[in-house]
Amino acid sequence: MSFKLLATPLQGFTDFRFRNAVDKFFGGVDTYFAPYVHLQGQMEIKNSYKRDLSPLNNDVKQLIPQVMTNSAEEFLFVAHYVQTLGYTELNWNLGCPYPMVTKRGLGSGLLKETAQIDRLLKRVSDESDINISLKMRLGYEDSHEILNLLPILEKHRIKSIIIHPRIGKQLYKGEVNLDIFHRCVENTSHAVCYNGDIQSVTQFRELKQRFPDIHEWAIGRGVVSNPFLAEMIKTDSEHLPHNWMDQFSDFHDALFQYYDEALSGPKHIVLKMQSFWAYFSSLFENPHKTYKIIKKAKSISSYHEAVRTNLARARN
Ligand SMILES: Cc1cc2nc3c(=O)[nH]c(=O)nc-3n(C[C@H](O)[C@H](O)[C@H](O)COP(=O)(O)O)c2cc1C
């Protein structure tokens, strides 16, 4: 059975530069999601969101914008904005786990507010023809929150539901709850996409075997840690290509160049690239040492030297 691979966003990492570079150098991802747009009380789209969503900046085949809100007005405002750019779908973030967000009744903090979700979806469907998809966790406090919500979602026109089977309180740690995920699939007529902890081809195969009816699989951190992963899954190959260091090096240099053009000052560029290595280092035999070498760099030249050292160690 054919399937689609979706790359879910990591705010602070998967902006248009990163998405374009992954798509150009690796492929394998069918659909990318942009990190969420959050309006912060004003009906105004910040320039950084505008840049990230501008079709002029995005080279990938399919990009879906995302919004994080608990207000129908805000949802409709963002929906209208993205429609003017040519997008036909808006993804609603009901998954963000951070207390700063959830305490304000946003992200996974909204999941238990079934009546509020119901009202928002009704109003948005009445007033806009945008396709709505949801990205959510099992709950914030309790993994049964989603089971209370799913019957309400049956009434609504929803394109698909991406489910990350953790609760908000877990943040990104602990086990994913595949039993409750299974119950979700049984309790909805909407298309469900699985998202969570897909880091290898073996893990993907196991999940696919357990959930043979799932057509869409979403990967977040796995694509940043291993940008080869989506193509490896598509070709069912457990191993990195034998020349992966060369391909990774070309990707890295392109990414560096994009940020070099966009950010001002060597300190910002080095910090930005170092943040990626918290993920990239897992490609290397000794991730801890790899990351340590990168973290020591204080200037652009020492950063490049650190990258060369890591790649040389991988080649030997
Ligand atoms: C640093 C970071 C930022 C994230 N930002 C977003 C975001 O903007 N929107 C969103 O829907 N999910 C966001 N996520 C969640 C991921 O997209 C993904 O759903 C989650 O990490 C689980 O999938 P994974 O195990 O494949 O990473 C973020 C995760 C991390 C670690």
Side-chain angles (χ1 to χ4, degrees):
M1 188 181 72
S2 71
F3 60 89
K4 276 176 83 175
L5 288 183
L6 282 44
T8 58
L10 265 67
Q11 187 88 248
F13 295 92
T14 64
D15 66 359
F16 70 91
R17 300 175 186 92
F18 180 83
R19 297 189 300 263
N20 289 343
V22 168
D23 206 55
K24 177 170 173 196
F25 289 92
F26 306 100
V29 174
D30 298 291
T31 303
Y32 291 81
F33 286 81
Y36 61 76
V37 170
H38 179 47
L39 293 183
Q40 291 172 324
Q42 279 176 331
M43 292 295 175
E44 194 178 52
I45 309 278
K46 276 198 318 199
N47 283 338
S48 58
Y49 297 139
K50 286 185 177 167
R51 271 194 300 278
D52 195 46
L53 294 176
S54 166
L56 297 174
N57 288 334
N58 282 283
D59 302 333
V60 304
K61 270 195 305 288
Q62 193 185 22
L63 176 69
I64 298 177
Q66 186 185 64
V67 63
M68 190 167 73
T69 184
N70 53 18
S71 134
E73 278 83 15
E74 286 188 1
F75 196 114
L76 286 163
F77 180 79
V78 176
H80 176 72
Y81 176 72
V82 300
Q83 281 184 312
T84 63
L85 299 178
Y87 297 103
T88 56
E89 176 176 344
L90 182 58
N91 182 263
W92 189 13
N93 182 316
L94 291 169
C96 185
Y98 293 115
M100 250 174 54
V101 163
T102 57
K103 272 188 198 147
R104 294 190 206 140
L106 292 164
S108 63
L110 190 59
L111 286 167
K112 62 177 186 315
E113 306 300 338
T114 50
Q116 201 178 344
I117 293 175
D118 191 22
R119 279 197 302 275
L120 187 147
L121 287 172
K122 176 158 184 352
R123 180 142 174 231
V124 171
S125 302
D126 286 350
E127 295 180 31
S128 166
D129 60 357
I130 196 145
N131 291 311
I132 304 164
S133 59
L134 310 181
K135 179 163 180 287
M136 57 203 219
R137 291 191 176 227
L138 302 179
Y140 179 71
E141 292 272 349
D142 183 317
S143 58
H144 289 82
E145 289 171 35
I146 194 168
L147 297 172
N148 296 331
L149 177 61
L150 287 173
I152 310 254
L153 300 182
E154 285 300 291
K155 296 192 283 183
H156 294 284
R157 177 175 60 75
I158 291 168
K159 192 162 165 271
S160 64
I161 308 176
I162 304 173
I163 299 179
H164 174 53
R166 280 194 172 90
I167 55 169
K169 270 170 82 176
Q170 283 179 281
L171 299 174
Y172 294 98
K173 298 185 286 264
E175 296 284 301
V176 286
N177 191 333
L178 296 181
D179 293 334
I180 303 273
F181 178 77
H182 192 185
R183 285 182 65 186
C184 293
V185 175
E186 286 177 335
N187 281 281
T188 182
S189 62
H190 294 303
V192 172
C193 165
Y194 175 86
N195 168 231
D197 293 2
I198 301 175
Q199 296 275 357
S200 71
V201 175
T202 312
Q203 274 167 323
F204 175 74
R205 275 193 207 131
E206 284 167 9
L207 283 163
K208 197 157 183 311
Q209 218 161 24
R210 177 150 177 194
F211 302 108
D213 296 333
I214 298 287
H215 299 276
E216 294 192 333
W217 298 86
I219 312 178
R221 291 165 296 177
V223 170
V224 187
S225 314
N226 175 4
F228 295 90
L229 182 62
E231 187 61 19
M232 285 165 67
I233 290 175
K234 282 282 173 72
T235 54
D236 198 28
S237 150
E238 278 175 54
H239 303 290
L240 290 168
H242 75 278
N243 66 339
W244 72 267
M245 307 88 170
D246 300 333
Q247 223 177 311
F248 176 79
S249 172
D250 291 345
F251 159 74
H252 168 273
D253 293 351
L255 201 61
F256 183 92
Q257 198 190 328
Y258 295 157
Y259 287 111
D260 192 23
E261 284 160 12
L263 299 174
S264 58
K267 202 169 156 199
H268 287 124
I269 299 158
V270 171
L271 282 174
K272 182 78 192 171
M273 294 308 295
Q274 281 173 329
S275 70
F276 280 111
W277 279 87
Y279 288 96
F280 295 160
S281 54
S282 70
L283 269 177
F284 293 74
E285 210 170 278
N286 185 339
H288 181 71
K289 176 122 199 237
T290 304
Y291 188 46
K292 219 168 125 185
I293 290 172
I294 293 286
K295 285 292 281 179
K296 271 196 196 146
K298 295 278 178 278
S299 65
I300 291 201
S301 61
S302 60
Y303 170 76
H304 283 309
E305 187 54 40
V307 174
R308 274 195 295 277
T309 304
N310 280 336
L311 287 169
R313 281 161 49 90
R315 286 190 177 102
N316 283 326

Short mmCIF file of all heavy atoms in Angstrom, two decimals, residues 146-180:
data_model
loop_
_atom_site.label_atom_id
_atom_site.label_comp_id
_atom_site.label_asym_id
_atom_site.label_seq_id
_atom_site.Cartn_x
_atom_site.Cartn_y
_atom_site.Cartn_z
N ILE A 146 -8.66 13.06 24.36
CA ILE A 146 -8.91 12.94 22.91
C ILE A 146 -10.15 12.07 22.63
O ILE A 146 -10.89 12.32 21.68
CB ILE A 146 -7.66 12.39 22.18
CG1 ILE A 146 -7.80 12.60 20.66
CG2 ILE A 146 -7.40 10.93 22.48
CD1 ILE A 146 -6.51 12.36 19.88
N LEU A 147 -10.37 11.09 23.50
CA LEU A 147 -11.51 10.19 23.26
C LEU A 147 -12.84 10.92 23.50
O LEU A 147 -13.86 10.57 22.92
CB LEU A 147 -11.40 8.93 24.13
CG LEU A 147 -10.17 8.07 23.80
CD1 LEU A 147 -9.99 6.94 24.82
CD2 LEU A 147 -10.25 7.49 22.38
N ASN A 148 -12.81 11.94 24.35
CA ASN A 148 -14.01 12.78 24.52
C ASN A 148 -14.19 13.73 23.34
O ASN A 148 -15.30 14.13 23.01
CB ASN A 148 -13.91 13.63 25.80
CG ASN A 148 -13.87 12.77 27.04
OD1 ASN A 148 -14.43 11.68 27.04
ND2 ASN A 148 -13.20 13.24 28.08
N LEU A 149 -13.08 14.12 22.76
CA LEU A 149 -13.15 15.11 21.67
C LEU A 149 -13.54 14.49 20.33
O LEU A 149 -14.27 15.11 19.55
CB LEU A 149 -11.77 15.81 21.56
CG LEU A 149 -11.60 16.84 20.46
CD1 LEU A 149 -12.59 18.00 20.63
CD2 LEU A 149 -10.17 17.40 20.46
N LEU A 150 -13.08 13.28 20.07
CA LEU A 150 -13.29 12.70 18.74
C LEU A 150 -14.78 12.65 18.30
O LEU A 150 -15.07 12.99 17.14
CB LEU A 150 -12.65 11.30 18.64
CG LEU A 150 -11.11 11.31 18.57
CD1 LEU A 150 -10.55 9.89 18.64
CD2 LEU A 150 -10.61 12.02 17.31
N PRO A 151 -15.72 12.29 19.20
CA PRO A 151 -17.13 12.29 18.76
C PRO A 151 -17.60 13.67 18.30
O PRO A 151 -18.40 13.79 17.36
CB PRO A 151 -17.91 11.86 20.01
CG PRO A 151 -16.90 11.21 20.89
CD PRO A 151 -15.58 11.80 20.58
N ILE A 152 -17.07 14.74 18.94
CA ILE A 152 -17.45 16.11 18.54
C ILE A 152 -16.89 16.40 17.14
O ILE A 152 -17.55 17.05 16.32
CB ILE A 152 -16.84 17.13 19.54
CG1 ILE A 152 -17.15 16.73 20.96
CG2 ILE A 152 -17.18 18.57 19.18
CD1 ILE A 152 -18.15 17.48 21.69
N LEU A 153 -15.70 15.92 16.88
CA LEU A 153 -15.07 16.20 15.59
C LEU A 153 -15.81 15.52 14.43
O LEU A 153 -15.69 15.93 13.29
CB LEU A 153 -13.59 15.77 15.60
CG LEU A 153 -12.70 16.46 16.63
CD1 LEU A 153 -11.26 15.97 16.48
CD2 LEU A 153 -12.76 17.98 16.50
N GLU A 154 -16.58 14.47 14.76
CA GLU A 154 -17.33 13.76 13.72
C GLU A 154 -18.28 14.69 12.96
O GLU A 154 -18.59 14.47 11.80
CB GLU A 154 -18.15 12.61 14.33
CG GLU A 154 -17.31 11.41 14.73
CD GLU A 154 -16.56 10.80 13.55
OE1 GLU A 154 -17.20 10.22 12.67
OE2 GLU A 154 -15.32 10.91 13.53
N LYS A 155 -18.77 15.74 13.68
CA LYS A 155 -19.76 16.64 13.05
C LYS A 155 -19.12 17.57 12.03
O LYS A 155 -19.81 18.25 11.31
CB LYS A 155 -20.36 17.56 14.13
CG LYS A 155 -21.15 16.88 15.19
CD LYS A 155 -21.91 17.91 16.01
CE LYS A 155 -21.01 18.62 17.00
NZ LYS A 155 -21.62 19.57 17.88
N HIS A 156 -17.80 17.65 12.05
CA HIS A 156 -17.15 18.71 11.30
C HIS A 156 -16.43 18.22 10.04
O HIS A 156 -16.04 17.06 9.95
CB HIS A 156 -16.16 19.46 12.21
CG HIS A 156 -16.86 20.19 13.32
ND1 HIS A 156 -17.52 21.37 13.12
CD2 HIS A 156 -17.01 19.87 14.63
CE1 HIS A 156 -18.06 21.77 14.26
NE2 HIS A 156 -17.76 20.88 15.20
N ARG A 157 -16.26 19.20 9.15
CA ARG A 157 -15.54 18.95 7.91
C ARG A 157 -14.04 19.12 8.23
O ARG A 157 -13.56 20.23 8.41
CB ARG A 157 -16.02 20.01 6.91
CG ARG A 157 -15.39 20.00 5.56
CD ARG A 157 -16.07 21.03 4.65
NE ARG A 157 -16.01 22.42 5.12
CZ ARG A 157 -14.93 23.19 5.05
NH1 ARG A 157 -13.81 22.73 4.56
NH2 ARG A 157 -14.98 24.44 5.49
N ILE A 158 -13.35 17.98 8.37
CA ILE A 158 -11.93 18.02 8.73
C ILE A 158 -11.18 17.15 7.74
O ILE A 158 -11.57 16.01 7.48
CB ILE A 158 -11.72 17.50 10.18
CG1 ILE A 158 -12.32 18.48 11.17
CG2 ILE A 158 -10.24 17.27 10.48
CD1 ILE A 158 -12.44 17.94 12.56
N LYS A 159 -10.08 17.70 7.18
CA LYS A 159 -9.38 16.95 6.13
C LYS A 159 -8.61 15.77 6.71
O LYS A 159 -8.63 14.68 6.16
CB LYS A 159 -8.44 17.90 5.39
CG LYS A 159 -7.89 17.31 4.14
CD LYS A 159 -7.33 18.38 3.24
CE LYS A 159 -6.46 17.75 2.18
NZ LYS A 159 -5.07 17.60 2.60
N SER A 160 -7.93 16.02 7.81
CA SER A 160 -7.20 14.92 8.45
C SER A 160 -6.80 15.33 9.86
O SER A 160 -6.77 16.52 10.19
CB SER A 160 -5.96 14.53 7.65
OG SER A 160 -5.07 15.61 7.64
N ILE A 161 -6.49 14.32 10.67
CA ILE A 161 -6.06 14.58 12.05
C ILE A 161 -4.71 13.91 12.24
O ILE A 161 -4.59 12.68 12.12
CB ILE A 161 -7.05 14.02 13.09
CG1 ILE A 161 -8.48 14.49 12.79
CG2 ILE A 161 -6.63 14.40 14.50
CD1 ILE A 161 -9.54 13.89 13.73
N ILE A 162 -3.70 14.73 12.53
CA ILE A 162 -2.38 14.17 12.85
C ILE A 162 -2.37 13.95 14.36
O ILE A 162 -2.62 14.89 15.13
CB ILE A 162 -1.25 15.15 12.48
CG1 ILE A 162 -1.33 15.53 11.00
CG2 ILE A 162 0.11 14.56 12.82
CD1 ILE A 162 -0.33 16.62 10.61
N ILE A 163 -2.09 12.74 14.77
CA ILE A 163 -2.08 12.46 16.22
C ILE A 163 -0.68 12.08 16.68
O ILE A 163 -0.07 11.14 16.16
CB ILE A 163 -3.08 11.34 16.57
CG1 ILE A 163 -4.50 11.77 16.19
CG2 ILE A 163 -3.01 11.01 18.08
CD1 ILE A 163 -5.58 10.72 16.47
N HIS A 164 -0.19 12.85 17.65
CA HIS A 164 1.06 12.52 18.33
C HIS A 164 0.66 11.88 19.66
O HIS A 164 0.18 12.59 20.56
CB HIS A 164 1.89 13.80 18.53
CG HIS A 164 3.12 13.58 19.36
ND1 HIS A 164 4.03 12.60 19.05
CD2 HIS A 164 3.59 14.19 20.46
CE1 HIS A 164 5.01 12.62 19.94
NE2 HIS A 164 4.76 13.58 20.81
N PRO A 165 0.80 10.55 19.80
CA PRO A 165 0.19 9.90 20.95
C PRO A 165 0.97 10.02 22.26
O PRO A 165 1.36 9.04 22.88
CB PRO A 165 0.04 8.44 20.50
CG PRO A 165 1.02 8.25 19.43
CD PRO A 165 1.38 9.60 18.86
N ARG A 166 1.16 11.25 22.68
CA ARG A 166 1.66 11.57 24.03
C ARG A 166 0.67 12.55 24.62
O ARG A 166 -0.10 13.17 23.88
CB ARG A 166 3.03 12.26 23.97
CG ARG A 166 4.20 11.34 23.76
CD ARG A 166 5.52 12.06 24.05
NE ARG A 166 6.62 11.13 24.03
CZ ARG A 166 7.36 10.82 22.95
NH1 ARG A 166 7.12 11.40 21.80
NH2 ARG A 166 8.33 9.93 23.02
N ILE A 167 0.75 12.77 25.94
CA ILE A 167 -0.01 13.88 26.51
C ILE A 167 0.93 15.07 26.65
O ILE A 167 2.16 14.90 26.65
CB ILE A 167 -0.66 13.52 27.87
CG1 ILE A 167 0.39 13.00 28.86
CG2 ILE A 167 -1.79 12.53 27.69
CD1 ILE A 167 -0.14 12.87 30.28
N GLY A 168 0.34 16.26 26.77
CA GLY A 168 1.14 17.47 26.86
C GLY A 168 2.15 17.43 28.00
O GLY A 168 3.30 17.84 27.85
N LYS A 169 1.70 16.91 29.15
CA LYS A 169 2.57 16.90 30.33
C LYS A 169 3.86 16.12 30.11
O LYS A 169 4.84 16.33 30.81
CB LYS A 169 1.81 16.32 31.53
CG LYS A 169 1.09 17.38 32.32
CD LYS A 169 0.16 16.80 33.33
CE LYS A 169 0.88 16.39 34.61
NZ LYS A 169 -0.12 15.91 35.61
N GLN A 170 3.84 15.21 29.15
CA GLN A 170 5.06 14.43 28.86
C GLN A 170 6.10 15.24 28.09
O GLN A 170 7.22 14.77 27.93
CB GLN A 170 4.72 13.21 27.99
CG GLN A 170 4.07 12.06 28.69
CD GLN A 170 3.77 10.94 27.70
OE1 GLN A 170 2.80 10.98 26.96
NE2 GLN A 170 4.63 9.94 27.67
N LEU A 171 5.70 16.38 27.58
CA LEU A 171 6.55 17.12 26.61
C LEU A 171 6.95 16.15 25.50
O LEU A 171 6.09 15.58 24.87
CB LEU A 171 7.74 17.76 27.32
CG LEU A 171 7.39 18.78 28.40
CD1 LEU A 171 8.63 19.24 29.14
CD2 LEU A 171 6.65 19.97 27.82
N TYR A 172 8.26 15.95 25.31
CA TYR A 172 8.68 15.05 24.22
C TYR A 172 9.29 13.77 24.76
O TYR A 172 9.99 13.06 24.06
CB TYR A 172 9.64 15.77 23.26
CG TYR A 172 8.92 16.89 22.56
CD1 TYR A 172 9.02 18.20 23.01
CD2 TYR A 172 8.09 16.62 21.48
CE1 TYR A 172 8.31 19.22 22.39
CE2 TYR A 172 7.38 17.62 20.86
CZ TYR A 172 7.49 18.92 21.32
OH TYR A 172 6.78 19.91 20.70
N LYS A 173 9.04 13.52 26.06
CA LYS A 173 9.71 12.38 26.71
C LYS A 173 8.72 11.24 26.98
O LYS A 173 7.53 11.38 26.80
CB LYS A 173 10.33 12.86 28.03
CG LYS A 173 11.39 13.93 27.82
CD LYS A 173 12.08 14.31 29.10
CE LYS A 173 11.24 15.16 30.00
NZ LYS A 173 11.38 16.57 29.98
N GLY A 174 9.26 10.14 27.45
CA GLY A 174 8.42 8.99 27.81
C GLY A 174 7.88 8.29 26.57
O GLY A 174 8.17 8.67 25.45
N GLU A 175 7.10 7.26 26.85
CA GLU A 175 6.61 6.42 25.75
C GLU A 175 5.45 7.08 24.99
O GLU A 175 4.65 7.80 25.59
CB GLU A 175 6.06 5.11 26.33
CG GLU A 175 7.09 4.25 27.03
CD GLU A 175 7.97 3.53 26.03
OE1 GLU A 175 7.43 2.76 25.22
OE2 GLU A 175 9.21 3.76 26.06
N VAL A 176 5.35 6.76 23.71
CA VAL A 176 4.10 7.09 23.00
C VAL A 176 3.08 5.99 23.36
O VAL A 176 3.47 4.86 23.60
CB VAL A 176 4.30 7.15 21.46
CG1 VAL A 176 5.03 8.39 21.04
CG2 VAL A 176 5.00 5.91 20.92
N ASN A 177 1.80 6.37 23.41
CA ASN A 177 0.78 5.41 23.82
C ASN A 177 0.05 4.86 22.59
O ASN A 177 -0.93 5.42 22.10
CB ASN A 177 -0.22 6.11 24.77
CG ASN A 177 -1.13 5.11 25.45
OD1 ASN A 177 -1.40 4.04 24.91
ND2 ASN A 177 -1.62 5.47 26.62
N LEU A 178 0.56 3.73 22.10
CA LEU A 178 0.03 3.18 20.86
C LEU A 178 -1.34 2.54 21.04
O LEU A 178 -2.13 2.47 20.10
CB LEU A 178 1.02 2.18 20.26
CG LEU A 178 2.37 2.78 19.84
CD1 LEU A 178 3.27 1.70 19.24
CD2 LEU A 178 2.20 3.94 18.84
N ASP A 179 -1.64 2.10 22.28
CA ASP A 179 -2.97 1.52 22.52
C ASP A 179 -4.06 2.58 22.38
O ASP A 179 -5.09 2.35 21.75
CB ASP A 179 -3.04 0.88 23.91
CG ASP A 179 -2.12 -0.35 23.98
OD1 ASP A 179 -1.87 -0.95 22.93
OD2 ASP A 179 -1.66 -0.67 25.09
N ILE A 180 -3.79 3.75 22.98
CA ILE A 180 -4.80 4.82 22.85
C ILE A 180 -4.85 5.31 21.39
O ILE A 180 -5.92 5.62 20.87
CB ILE A 180 -4.52 6.00 23.80
CG1 ILE A 180 -4.47 5.52 25.25
CG2 ILE A 180 -5.56 7.11 23.63
CD1 ILE A 180 -5.79 5.47 25.98
#
